[in-house]
Amino acid sequence: MGTAAGASAIQCRGEKIVNLDNVRVVLVGPLYGGNVGSVCRAMANMGLSDLAIVPERSLNMDEARMMACHATDILESRSTHTTLKEAVEDCGVVMGTSARTGLYRQHAKTPREWAPTVLADTSRGRVALVFGREDKGLTNEELSVCSRIIQIPTSDSYTSLNLSQAVMVCCYEIFVAADLYEPPIEKSPLAPTAFRERMFDIWRALLLMIGFMGDDKCDHMMQGFRRVMGRGAVTEDDVRIMIGVARQAEWAAEHLQESLKAEGDKGEKAEQ
Ligand code: SAH
């Protein structure tokens, strides 16, 4: 099964033009095929498809395919290069990622801080996100090719993320900033007061019937019940469910009483 590679190409949301196809993930000297596969999956999840690799050793491609899961098309369509400079030669902006602080890294910003800038740049050219080797990261020479540095915030006690997780965090921030995701919306309208009051009446009758409360405590208990039901915005679907539960409980209580009575009558007859 393929991914939706390219599906997020150029999308307009209001004034904003976002071209996620112009974001290239560049892996320099990855050691493990599994990580490369996981990178493909992360990219597909976040709407990216352009993967470039600067290989330094042969990768375990079975492992890569396994971890790529439904994103093998990104793996198969990757470009390979002999140097980082070659991998980014057509990119207008090159952003390096590093877990380390210090020399050449003082201007580092988080993926969240960089994301709006990256998106703005994608409407005018290609942006490369460069990731280093699992064991040694990027060399200073490679970092010098990058005009911007991304640092993912972490605990001081362990600052280095797994390669594919670092890719995921960066791609996720770009995707979220692109505002392409449409969250699910509640379709059921808010329940109007009259409908909610009907539900309270039905529950009031039920709670009295099953002896949960007596007439004396009724108003007090119903205040509590109303408080529970009023914590969120109650929808028409919510009210329908609550009325359904009450109706069923009423029915069960009546039938239970009838069957208990029938059992009792049977017992009495047997004793006679
Ligand atoms: N031991 C290496 C880390 C390698 S992790 C080092 O000290 O540099 C592999 C790659 O994941 C890094 O080269 C970088 O591209 C990315 N990465 C891992 N942790 C990161 C972090 N906290 N911020 C930014 N990139 C990170």
Side-chain angles (χ1 to χ4, degrees), residues 120-163:
D121 291 338
T122 62
S123 64
R124 298 186 300 146
R126 222 180 281 285
V127 178
L129 306 177
V130 184
F131 296 84
R133 304 154 187 84
E134 288 93 332
D135 55 347
K136 293 189 295 219
L138 294 167
T139 64
N140 284 340
E141 195 190 339
E142 285 157 352
L143 266 182
S144 69
V145 178
C146 311
S147 56
R148 300 176 190 155
I149 307 292
I150 305 174
Q151 190 157 56
I152 300 167
T154 59
S155 155
D156 283 346
S157 59
Y158 196 5
T159 59
S160 167
L161 276 77
N162 163 271
L163 171 62

Side-chain angles (χ1 to χ4, degrees), residues 9 14 46 51 54 58 62 71 74-75 132 158 201 203 229 238:
M46 297 301 132
L51 175 65
V54 184
S58 66
D62 287 340
I74 294 180
L75 186 65
Y158 196 5
D201 287 346
W203 271 84
M229 290 303 296
D238 297 335

Side-chain angles (χ1 to χ4, degrees), residues 203-263:
W203 271 84
R204 187 174 188 277
L206 171 72
L207 297 178
L208 280 167
M209 175 191 169
I210 62 172
F212 179 76
M213 60 194 185
D215 278 332
D216 52 334
K217 296 267 167 49
C218 184
D219 289 343
H220 176 69
M221 294 307 293
M222 285 312 290
Q223 286 304 335
F225 188 77
R226 280 170 182 272
R227 205 180 58 226
V228 173
M229 290 303 296
R231 289 210 196 275
V234 181
T235 65
E236 289 187 0
D237 281 352
D238 297 335
V239 171
R240 269 191 280 276
I241 288 169
M242 291 304 288
I243 289 179
V245 171
R247 294 279 188 230
Q248 178 66 23
E250 221 171 58
W251 180 88
E254 268 166 16
H255 282 72
L256 195 63
Q257 270 173 1
E258 276 167 21
S259 59
L260 283 176
K261 193 168 168 293
E263 286 290 318

